[in-house]
Amino acid sequence: MKELRTALSIAILVFVYGCKFDIPNDEPDIIEYDNIMIYTDLSSRMNKNPSDTLVINQIVDFFVSGCVKPGIKVNDRSAISFSRANHQRSNCPSTKIDIGQFKNLEEKQQFVNNKSESKNLSKSIFEFKSSVRCNYLERDNGGLDLLSLIYQEVNTGNDIKKPEYLISEIDTTTLYFHNHLFLFTDGYLEYSTTAGSKDFYYGEPQIEALRKFCRINKVSPEEAIRNNQQFKIRPLVSDNNKFVNIYILETDDRGFNVQKGTLKNTGDLSDNNILRLVWKIWAEESGFRHFEWRPITTATNLPNDYIQK
């Protein structure tokens, strides 16, 4: 396992030993890379000034210094992408940098080490961050079926990277990609169901029904969700999920009173904790490799804290 350490202060999650080689002596060689995918829903929580762009920029900076490592590393294959969860609504472009797209090593190193005036990593990073800024000037208050969109991205796009094998006469080298899916959202799964499925809807009425059930039956929210189908979200299982670490960041709690600094419901029965458990159990049953959840109040953290290897 590798970790990415952040400058702000969560110290719980993933990106931990950086993007480095791990070559066992008694197995075929394994070289590891990172594939970072960033999605944002630009929901109404944006009015609370979350740290999305700060954290996203830190993820982008880590991609350069911790994964690509210009001037140090040769022949990297890491990638990073950014998009609105529903990019069809956006007037701004999605963006992607894929070091693995270069098949010519000399051309790749010229790009990475900024030796080309017309096409280089520094210019691409600037354009990447500009796309992020452009998207964050917009808002999306229409609601999104986020789980269905995640499923589409994981299974119908080309963003997920699976292991590749380089076979020679004497050995086999495995190229393993750690797929990290970052989703910036408040955590509430609310959208119009007039023309769509209600299977993935989880808003305030569902939260309150679960809270009431827990109080009457004196059970924890996790126990109630795991043992009662009506409190779950239907899992979306696919073979690709096992390659994906999923991170839900900058989540909100609508029961928080800003003036008083208090929550309407606290502890296990708070909105944020209930939503965390709903997402967590959904991710487990859908077969994702790893799941993490970070509320808006702990958003002064950098990616190094929460990237799973």
Side-chain angles (χ1 to χ4, degrees):
M1 180 167 80
K2 304 184 268 172
E3 299 179 337
L4 321 161
R5 294 266 166 210
T6 52
L8 300 177
S9 56
I10 287 186
I12 300 180
L13 308 178
V14 248
F15 262 134
V16 183
Y17 294 110
C19 306
K20 66 178 182 181
F21 289 3
D22 178 17
I23 305 179
N25 294 325
D26 56 348
E27 298 179 6
D29 290 349
I30 301 175
I31 305 176
E32 300 180 55
Y33 303 102
D34 287 272
N35 179 32
I36 301 168
M37 300 159 286
I38 306 167
Y39 294 91
T40 180
D41 69 353
L42 295 174
S43 60
S44 56
R45 73 193 168 87
M46 298 305 299
N47 298 326
K48 296 189 176 183
N49 298 316
S51 312
D52 288 22
T53 52
L54 169 65
V55 177
I56 290 171
N57 283 339
Q58 290 162 348
I59 293 171
V60 175
D61 291 342
F62 175 82
F63 171 74
V64 176
S65 63
C67 296
V68 182
K69 298 182 180 179
I72 300 173
K73 193 174 182 180
V74 176
N75 202 18
D76 183 58
R77 290 178 171 85
S78 299
I80 187 169
S81 59
F82 170 85
S83 176
R84 292 176 63 157
N86 191 350
H87 56 82
Q88 291 88 350
R89 293 184 183 177
S90 177
N91 295 313
C92 301
S94 299
T95 185
K96 183 174 185 177
I97 302 171
D98 188 350
I99 307 301
Q101 72 178 343
F102 292 93
K103 304 307 178 186
N104 181 283
L105 181 57
E106 181 179 0
E107 183 182 352
K108 177 187 291 189
Q109 294 309 119
Q110 286 182 342
F111 172 84
V112 166
N113 295 317
N114 301 308
K115 299 298 185 182
S116 170
E117 290 290 334
S118 60
K119 187 178 182 182
N120 59 61
L121 182 59
S122 293
K123 183 177 180 180
S124 295
I125 291 296
F126 176 82
E127 292 170 350
F128 192 104
K129 290 183 176 181
S130 296
S131 175
V132 173
R133 287 194 299 272
C134 178
N135 276 277
Y136 270 87
L137 292 174
E138 301 180 344
R139 293 290 182 271
D140 197 334
N141 295 320
L144 295 168
D145 181 357
L146 282 176
L147 301 188
S148 294
L149 289 169
I150 290 172
Y151 184 81
Q152 286 180 351
E153 292 297 337
V154 170
N155 290 283
T156 62
N158 296 316
D159 287 339
I160 301 302
K161 291 181 178 289
K162 297 181 181 180
E164 299 177 13
Y165 304 96
L166 305 179
I167 302 174
S168 70
E169 293 182 358
I170 57 174
D171 62 12
T172 299
T173 299
T174 301
L175 308 181
Y176 187 85
F177 295 88
H178 294 279
N179 293 281
H180 307 292
L181 175 59
F182 291 90
L183 182 59
F184 289 81
T185 178
D186 61 5
Y188 293 82
L189 294 165
E190 297 172 324
Y191 54 92
S192 173
T193 59
T194 54
S197 170
K198 295 182 180 180
D199 289 352
F200 311 113
Y201 189 98
Y202 217 100
E204 294 182 54
Q206 289 73 24
I207 294 170
E208 189 54 45
L210 173 62
R211 190 180 286 127
K212 182 178 179 180
F213 180 91
C214 291
R215 285 170 173 158
I216 291 173
N217 294 280
K218 294 181 171 54
V219 296
S220 70
E222 182 162 9
E223 184 180 354
I225 297 167
R226 289 193 184 279
N227 296 329
N228 296 274
Q229 199 64 37
Q230 73 265 32
F231 297 129
K232 288 185 179 183
I233 296 175
R234 178 168 63 85
L236 290 169
V237 180
S238 82
D239 289 339
N240 281 358
N241 290 354
K242 65 187 176 185
F243 298 111
V244 180
N245 303 307
I246 187 168
Y247 311 88
I248 314 301
L249 304 183
E250 303 288 278
T251 62
D252 193 14
D253 193 315
R254 294 175 188 167
F256 182 71
N257 187 309
V258 177
Q259 285 74 30
K260 296 181 179 179
T262 58
L263 284 170
K264 182 179 179 181
N265 294 281
T266 60
D268 288 350
L269 294 178
S270 68
D271 279 20
N272 196 265
N273 185 63
I274 288 173
L275 287 168
R276 177 184 67 84
L277 292 168
V278 168
W279 276 85
K280 175 186 174 183
I281 292 167
W282 172 82
E284 288 176 1
E285 295 184 349
S286 296
F288 285 96
R289 181 174 180 268
H290 183 79
F291 172 82
E292 292 291 345
W293 175 275
R294 296 290 99 189
I296 214 173
T297 52
T298 58
T300 54
N301 306 283
L302 299 187
N304 306 357
D305 292 326
Y306 42 78
I307 293 206
Q308 179 69 36
K309 299 292 185 177

